[in-house]
Amino acid sequence: MTPDALVDLCLSLPQAIETFPFGEETSVFKTSGTGKIFALAALASEPFTVSLKCDPEEGRALREEFPLWITPGYHLNKKHWISIDLGGNVPAMLVDQLLRDSHALVRPRVPRARPHECSPNAS
């Protein structure tokens, strides 16, 4: 995955915005609804990596399956974040799904519709 492809994918997700709170070299992707981060990447870094929020059990399994390319989140909570080397050793479809899953973990929740209350005049 290229840096441009990563940016395009992140920004294609609902309510996604790109910010630069750590300087111009680090793209931070958040949802505008919650302001929570779902991806971070230094787009010009070598190797090119992205850090994503991840379910702790899934993160552990991924680190075991791809020990050289998926590691605990760099400078992040190691339980809830993973860093992925995007050099091509992790399948693109998996990276895409993990990015979408990370977004789903932080996106605003849509309130469930309340059941209609019975009106006193209902027959």
Side-chain angles (χ1 to χ4, degrees), residues 90-113:
V90 178
M93 289 183 67
L94 177 59
V95 173
D96 182 276
Q97 187 59 53
L98 292 171
L99 189 82
R100 292 174 190 282
D101 291 348
S102 179
H103 177 267
L105 287 171
V106 302
R107 74 175 174 235
R109 302 289 180 235
V110 176
R112 291 185 177 173

Side-chain angles (χ1 to χ4, degrees), residues 3 16 19 41 53 60 77 85 97 106 117:
T19 64
K53 193 159 182 113
R60 184 177 6 262
N77 181 317
D85 181 330
Q97 187 59 53
V106 302
E117 296 182 10

Side-chain angles (χ1 to χ4, degrees), residues 62-72:
L62 289 164
R63 289 190 303 271
E64 288 175 9
E65 186 174 352
F66 300 98
L68 298 177
W69 304 287
I70 298 180
T71 57

Side-chain angles (χ1 to χ4, degrees), residues 1-3 6 24-27 40-51 74 84-87:
M1 178 175 286
T2 66
L6 177 69
E24 291 182 19
E25 65 281 348
T26 304
S27 290
L40 298 97
L43 301 178
S45 70
E46 280 297 323
F48 177 43
T49 63
V50 64
S51 294
Y74 183 68
I84 305 170
D85 181 330
L86 297 174

